[in-house]
């Protein structure tokens, strides 16, 4: 007799609340894979690229962004609390990524936050933090190229991800 194993539910901590994470489809996972490969190649070791790993945003929040570009360092004892860039790939999670997560990353001082919106085929780049909120959101469509703010020589084409 075989017993079916139920995989553990994927959750993250946002503002002191345990939140279920949306299931990931092939389009989502493919975008994460391509972006991760491009960032690792183009950064050339100047920063660490973490995938679906915890980010110590605040005492009550430890989200697990799809991709985070963090300063190089030893993260064996503590999750990073600083990031150059955080990326969420969104379809069903779009409202949370634009709302609670955007607020959380801005409050944490992450200078640049991308939402790879697979549903609409765009990448939304959030930046310019004023009083703990992103004040600039620029959508990039097919054909556009985006430079990473902290590493302006690292340029990613929307078509390379979506």
């Amino acid at each position: 007799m075989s017993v079916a194993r139920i995989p553990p539910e994927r959750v993250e901590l946002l503002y002191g609340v345990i939140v279920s994470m949306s299931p990931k489809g092939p389009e989502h996972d493919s975008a994460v894979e391509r972006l991760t490969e491009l960032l690792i190649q183009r950064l050339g070791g100047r920063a660490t690229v973490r995938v679906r790993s915890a980010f110590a945003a605040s005492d009550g929040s430890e989200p697990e962004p799809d991709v985070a570009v963090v300063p190089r360092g030893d993260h064996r004892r503590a999750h990073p609390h600083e990031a150059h860039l955080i990326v969420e790939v969104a379809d069903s999670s779009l409202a949370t990524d634009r709302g609670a997560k955007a607020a959380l990353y801005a409050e944490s001082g992450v200078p640049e936050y991308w939402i790879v919106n697979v549903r609409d085929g765009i990448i939304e780049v959030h930046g310019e933090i004023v009083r703990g909120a992103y004040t600039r959101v620029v959508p990039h469509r097919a054909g556009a190229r985006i430079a990473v703010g902290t590493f302006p020589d690292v340029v990613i084409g929307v078509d390379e991800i979506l």
Side-chain angles (χ1 to χ4, degrees), residues 4 6-7 37 105 121 127 131 134:
I6 299 172
E37 289 174 6
Y105 296 141
R131 289 188 297 279
Y134 293 113

Side-chain angles (χ1 to χ4, degrees), residues 68 91 109 157:
D91 187 352

Side-chain angles (χ1 to χ4, degrees), residues 6-125:
I6 299 172
E9 183 178 7
R10 294 187 62 231
V11 296
E12 59 189 341
L13 184 63
L14 301 178
Y15 294 109
V17 176
I18 296 175
V19 178
S20 294
M21 296 172 70
S22 301
K24 312 298 183 204
E27 192 173 21
H28 177 281
D29 286 347
S30 182
V32 171
E33 288 171 6
R34 286 193 305 273
L35 180 58
T36 301
E37 289 174 6
L38 291 166
L39 286 168
I40 290 170
Q41 277 178 351
R42 295 177 187 171
L43 282 166
R46 293 178 284 170
T48 299
V49 178
R50 293 172 52 98
V51 179
R52 297 181 182 133
S53 297
F55 174 69
S58 67
D59 287 342
S61 295
E62 201 164 271
E64 294 185 12
D66 289 310
V67 179
V69 177
V70 301
R72 292 184 57 80
D74 185 352
H75 302 117
R76 288 180 289 185
R77 295 190 183 4
H79 296 299
H81 61 276
E82 293 178 40
H84 301 294
L85 167 68
I86 286 186
V87 182
E88 296 286 0
V89 177
D91 187 352
S92 60
S93 64
L94 195 53
T96 300
D97 293 335
R98 284 179 174 158
K101 284 195 175 180
L104 178 61
Y105 296 141
E107 291 165 7
S108 299
V110 177
E112 192 168 2
Y113 169 50
W114 296 4
I115 298 174
V116 177
N117 179 341
V118 296
R119 184 183 338 159
D120 299 324
I122 62 173
I123 297 175
E124 303 170 12
V125 176

